[in-house]
Amino acid sequence: MNIQSKEVVAEPPSLSDKEFELFRELIYKQAGIALSPLKKSLVENRLSKRLKNLGLNSFLDYHKQVMSDPSKDEMQVLVDLLTTNETYFFREAKHFDYLKEHVLSKVGRSQGFSLWSAASSTGEEPYSLAMTLADSLGVKGNWQIIATDINTEVLNTARTGRYTLSEKDAIPSKYLHDYCLKGIRSQEGAILIDKALRSSVRYEQLNLMGNWDSYINAFDVIFIRNVMIYFDIDTRKKLLDRIADKIKMGGYLFVSHSETLHKLTDRFELVTPSIYTRVR
């Protein structure tokens, strides 16, 4: 009689409180993100597959590998895994209405206009902005959008300008007709942002906690939505001061409806909920 031995499958490692604290400190130092203790299971779930791919036996081993990698490539992988990127086209639609009706309506077509999408994720926000600007100032108008994110994976997705067909429902019909293409053959089931519009958005990898003084110019408008909710108060204050330096006097800052600048800075004045203008 043949007896087949059962293969013993190793249990995946669990994340200890001590290991979680190491990653909390690391992501805070690297990206300014303040993880609450309630995020322990999220960190464990998102890093477990990486441990398996690298053949590591513990989260402590992974932490050591991240810290000892001279290329910093693994640090970027960690950041990509732990950053959240929930977005969709024309999210918080009132922002785009305000931009069109109260900001772009005062901009001449020959006048330069610059906008920074500071947490661009997979591109839905900057492309929504590009459609809005193109509709008001012309596809080949004198305007530019710089879109940045700390996560390199989402930036790669954004650059393709390719999205699932189900996402089209969030795009106004006029913009869908003018600036989007329905995929055919190998692209069937997808929508593609028009090439001319894609070329008007420049994507850059950027850590908001890092040095961005050298290549970020003064902007007419900055969108930084659903970002500061991940930062503590001191980090928000410092970030807002740096952002103020990059907005033209009288320019606009858009944050999400769940965020406020109350008691964080005196350099902006509230125009309408979640929209501010630089005053000093």
Side-chain angles (χ1 to χ4, degrees):
M1 184 173 69
N2 294 326
I3 300 176
Q4 293 183 342
S5 61
K6 292 183 178 180
E7 183 179 350
V8 178
V9 179
E11 288 291 327
S14 59
L15 179 67
S16 69
D17 290 342
K18 184 178 179 180
E19 290 168 330
F20 176 58
E21 287 303 319
L22 289 174
F23 285 108
R24 281 184 72 188
E25 293 172 7
L26 184 56
I27 198 67
Y28 180 79
K29 183 178 180 180
Q30 185 68 19
I33 297 172
L35 291 174
S36 77
L38 298 176
K39 298 294 184 181
K40 181 183 174 184
S41 61
L42 179 145
V43 172
E44 182 173 343
N45 290 336
R46 293 191 178 182
L47 297 186
S48 290
K49 187 175 180 181
R50 187 60 179 166
L51 264 68
K52 183 178 180 180
N53 290 342
L54 295 174
L56 300 175
N57 296 318
S58 72
F59 288 93
L60 182 59
D61 288 342
Y62 181 59
H63 184 272
K64 290 177 180 177
Q65 180 158 329
V66 171
M67 298 301 291
S68 62
D69 179 11
S71 70
K72 303 297 183 182
D73 288 345
E74 195 60 40
M75 181 72 78
Q76 184 61 53
V77 172
L78 173 70
V79 170
D80 289 353
L81 289 170
L82 294 185
T83 47
T84 301
N85 298 281
E86 179 186 356
T87 187
Y88 47 87
F89 285 103
F90 292 91
R91 185 179 187 179
E92 301 187 22
K94 289 183 179 180
H95 284 167
F96 300 93
D97 293 339
Y98 188 94
L99 179 66
K100 183 178 180 65
E101 296 167 9
H102 300 281
V103 181
L104 298 178
S105 61
K106 302 174 184 177
V107 179
R109 290 214 166 196
S110 61
Q111 181 180 342
F113 188 87
S114 59
L115 188 150
W116 177 20
S117 170
S120 63
S121 188
T122 45
E124 286 89 339
E125 176 179 281
Y127 288 133
S128 298
L129 290 166
M131 293 179 202
T132 306
L133 266 64
D135 191 60
S136 295
L137 306 178
V139 175
K140 297 183 179 181
N142 187 18
W143 55 269
Q144 63 170 336
I145 294 176
I146 295 177
T148 65
D149 202 281
I150 193 172
N151 188 316
T152 55
E153 289 297 318
V154 298
L155 289 172
N156 290 335
T157 298
R159 291 186 182 101
T160 67
R162 183 185 186 279
Y163 300 93
T164 60
L165 199 59
S166 61
E167 294 183 75
K168 70 179 178 62
D169 295 338
I171 303 174
S173 57
K174 181 181 186 302
Y175 293 167
L176 189 64
H177 177 270
D178 291 347
Y179 308 119
C180 301
L181 303 171
K182 185 177 180 180
I184 59 174
R185 292 189 287 275
S186 64
Q187 300 291 344
E188 189 174 355
I191 57 170
L192 302 172
I193 304 300
D194 184 76
K195 185 176 180 180
L197 205 68
R198 292 203 310 271
S199 65
S200 68
V201 181
R202 191 177 89 223
Y203 287 98
E204 300 272 359
Q205 195 273 340
L206 178 68
N207 182 347
L208 291 171
M209 299 299 108
N211 182 356
W212 36 272
D213 294 336
S214 60
Y215 67 95
I216 298 294
N217 300 317
F219 293 92
D220 295 285
V221 170
I222 293 179
F223 271 60
I224 183 165
R225 306 187 302 170
N226 299 294
V227 177
M228 291 186 289
I229 55 175
Y230 300 106
F231 300 153
D232 60 24
I233 290 176
D234 287 342
T235 302
R236 293 178 199 178
K237 288 180 178 179
K238 292 174 184 176
L239 179 59
L240 285 167
D241 198 46
R242 295 181 73 190
I243 287 174
D245 289 340
K246 294 302 178 183
I247 296 182
K248 297 174 182 178
M249 196 66 68
Y252 292 88
L253 175 65
F254 289 70
V255 299
S256 76
H257 285 98
S258 62
E259 297 168 315
T260 178
L261 307 193
H262 183 59
K263 294 185 178 180
L264 294 176
T265 178
D266 62 355
R267 301 187 65 183
F268 293 95
E269 184 177 281
L270 182 67
V271 176
T272 191
S274 70
I275 302 175
Y276 297 81
T277 184
R278 182 186 169 190
V279 294
R280 62 176 293 273

